[in-house]
Amino acid sequence: MNLIIDGKKDIDFNFILENPIAMPVSEMNTAFTNVDGRDGSVHEDLGLQDITFSAVLNLFTFNDVYNDVSKMVAALFNANEFTTDTWPFIFKKKHISWSEIANEMGVTAKIQINVRCHPLKFLKNSPTQSFTAAGTVKNTGTYSSKPLLKLYAKGAGASSVTLNGTKFTMNMQKEYVFVDCELLDAYYTTTNMNRFMLGSFPTLKPGDNNLTFDGAIAKIEIEPRCCNL
């Protein structure tokens, strides 16, 4: 198993995993409240908790120990995504910490890392789906996802889009508009287009999601961003 950091393997930095990484699983953050006169507690689900994983990386070539350590630390510090060559998913990093780097006479090095990530595992095989008419958007994950939509205009004017029962309208002022349901943002290149959108940002449930659109939209491309717990 190789740790992959923003698309580069650990061995590219002359490091290798000491042991395979245990696969973390997200848990629900739940608040429990005891109520006088009631059996059991009242609970409220507050969303998924961040997940963490740990790994130990060992230097396996010893030509330039200090330079190799510096390159690995910089890659870890600046990383956005982690995965392995055996996992079908990607973790999105939020924070990383590590212990002191064990070093023996400048010829060996060991780094233990603890990585805090987004609660969900984002699937690597989540291809863009294209539609020129009403159709079915597939979410192959096991959890609801927040897709990225690219709306192509066939002319100016207001158009409606309904995805998984959620409807919004977009006044097509540009050749295309991105609707990012994770960032809750609509834009064209660097131009904010939120003022031309009315309605809610849709999500994709696991499985099939109905898509319809009309008006000035010629085509929609959807990056489903499928994910698992």
Side-chain angles (χ1 to χ4, degrees):
M1 176 185 284
N2 293 111
L3 181 66
I4 300 176
I5 307 160
D6 284 348
K8 295 190 70 174
K9 291 184 178 181
D10 47 14
I11 56 175
D12 295 332
F13 302 94
N14 292 327
F15 276 82
I16 194 166
L17 284 171
E18 184 172 279
N19 295 298
I21 302 173
M23 186 187 303
V25 178
S26 183
E27 296 183 11
M28 183 64 70
N29 182 21
T30 304
F32 296 92
T33 304
N34 292 320
V35 179
D36 290 344
R38 180 186 178 120
D39 294 330
S41 60
V42 176
H43 72 278
E44 180 183 7
D45 291 334
L46 304 176
L48 297 173
Q49 300 180 27
D50 289 341
I51 53 178
T52 60
F53 71 86
S54 300
V56 176
L57 292 158
N58 286 308
L59 189 70
F60 70 90
T61 63
F62 313 109
N63 296 324
D64 193 348
V65 173
Y66 297 116
N67 188 49
D68 287 341
V69 169
S70 294
K71 288 181 178 179
M72 174 56 84
V73 169
L76 293 168
F77 183 80
N78 294 310
N80 294 308
E81 297 179 345
F82 286 89
T83 186
T84 73
D85 51 4
T86 61
W87 290 346
F89 49 78
I90 292 169
F91 288 124
K92 295 186 177 181
K93 187 197 81 174
K94 289 189 173 183
H95 180 262
I96 188 169
S97 62
W98 45 72
S99 60
E100 291 184 0
I101 299 171
N103 180 253
E104 184 70 27
M105 299 297 290
V107 295
T108 65
K110 176 185 290 190
I111 305 174
Q112 178 173 331
I113 61 172
N114 301 291
V115 187
R116 182 169 180 162
C117 302
H118 188 283
L120 298 172
K121 305 178 182 75
F122 293 87
L123 302 185
K124 295 176 183 177
N125 185 21
S126 184
T128 298
Q129 301 172 43
S130 182
F131 300 88
T132 57
T136 301
V137 183
K138 301 285 187 180
N139 178 2
T140 59
T142 61
Y143 198 78
S144 61
S145 66
K146 299 176 181 179
L148 175 66
L149 287 70
K150 187 176 184 180
L151 316 179
Y152 290 87
K154 61 182 177 183
S159 303
S160 65
V161 178
T162 302
L163 178 57
N164 189 24
T166 298
K167 182 178 180 179
F168 67 89
T169 60
M170 177 65 69
N171 193 333
M172 299 298 293
Q173 298 291 312
K174 303 291 184 180
E175 59 196 290
Y176 64 83
V177 178
F178 283 104
V179 177
D180 193 321
C181 300
E182 183 175 9
L183 298 178
L184 303 180
D185 199 12
Y187 56 90
Y188 168 77
T189 62
T190 59
T191 303
N192 187 290
M193 301 293 290
N194 287 326
R195 67 186 183 278
F196 298 108
M197 178 178 170
L198 180 63
S200 301
F201 290 87
T203 60
L204 296 176
K205 66 181 179 181
D208 294 342
N209 297 262
N210 292 328
L211 170 69
T212 59
F213 56 94
D214 59 21
I217 298 176
K219 182 174 73 170
I220 299 180
E221 292 178 348
I222 299 179
E223 181 183 329
R225 293 171 171 167
C226 303
C227 51
N228 290 346
L229 282 170

